[in-house]
Amino acid sequence: MTLLQWKDRYSVGIAAVDHEHKELIDLINRLYDEWVKGGPRGSVEGFFGDLYKGISAHFALEERFMRECGYDQLTAHKNDHERLLDEIRDIMDDFVDEEQTASALAGRLESWFSRHFETHDARLHHKLGAHPH
Ligand SMILES: [Fe+2]
Ligand SMILES: [Fe+2]
């Protein structure tokens, strides 16, 4: 079962960033699949670890890119990245503590992903999409 699907409106017009966003969607879907099909807890935790690493690397890329372009809302976007990382850690902890159902996890991952897209990444797209790297 696929949880998240790539949509064209997610595109920020920067191939490297789009590529990573697609990879993040893929990581979230694989993690969710593993959980839904009742995979061993250790393997779901492994997917969480991969996701966390992928997200950290992705945020670092966006931040480097924004710095290079002198992006005006770098600090706000960066703060949002910190918050998003905290949130993923919380979701991961609740999983380890067995404090949530699969549908609750699905809802949290979905809103986690779309919220960032519809706010900060969308704005980044409007500002910088015209200057492909
Ligand atoms: Fe971002
Ligand atoms: Fe992003």
Side-chain angles (χ1 to χ4, degrees):
M1 183 193 150
T2 305
L3 179 64
L4 298 175
Q5 233 140 33
W6 173 261
K7 297 184 180 86
D8 285 340
R9 67 185 161 90
Y10 288 161
S11 174
V12 298
I14 303 155
V17 175
D18 283 350
H19 177 73
E20 287 202 353
H21 283 161
K22 286 176 185 163
E23 278 182 352
L24 290 183
I25 288 180
D26 205 46
L27 281 171
I28 290 174
N29 284 335
R30 286 210 305 252
L31 181 160
Y32 185 69
D33 279 353
E34 186 69 9
W35 192 2
V36 167
K37 74 170 199 233
R41 295 190 66 79
S43 115
V44 180
E45 282 170 31
F47 278 106
F48 264 118
D50 289 348
L51 178 62
Y52 193 84
K53 265 187 265 165
I55 290 164
S56 308
H58 166 66
F59 287 172
L61 175 83
E62 276 188 5
E63 287 163 20
R64 199 192 74 205
F65 181 74
M66 286 188 281
R67 258 193 305 272
E68 282 170 4
C69 295
Y71 186 60
D72 59 344
Q73 287 196 1
L74 170 67
T75 308
H77 198 138
K78 228 181 139 202
N79 290 342
D80 197 54
H81 284 168
E82 299 294 328
R83 201 184 47 76
L84 287 163
L85 281 172
D86 285 349
E87 233 175 278
I88 276 290
R89 253 192 309 261
D90 285 347
I91 297 174
M92 206 170 357
D93 289 347
D94 288 349
F95 170 77
V96 172
D97 298 340
E98 299 188 53
E99 275 179 5
Q100 68 197 327
T101 61
S103 68
L105 173 92
R108 287 173 83 184
L109 287 173
E110 221 166 6
S111 70
W112 181 90
F113 191 79
S114 58
R115 236 177 315 131
H116 179 67
F117 260 100
E118 283 156 12
T119 56
H120 288 283
D121 280 10
R123 186 178 186 278
L124 185 63
H125 160 48
H126 288 306
K127 280 267 178 189
L128 305 175
H131 312 285
H133 275 60

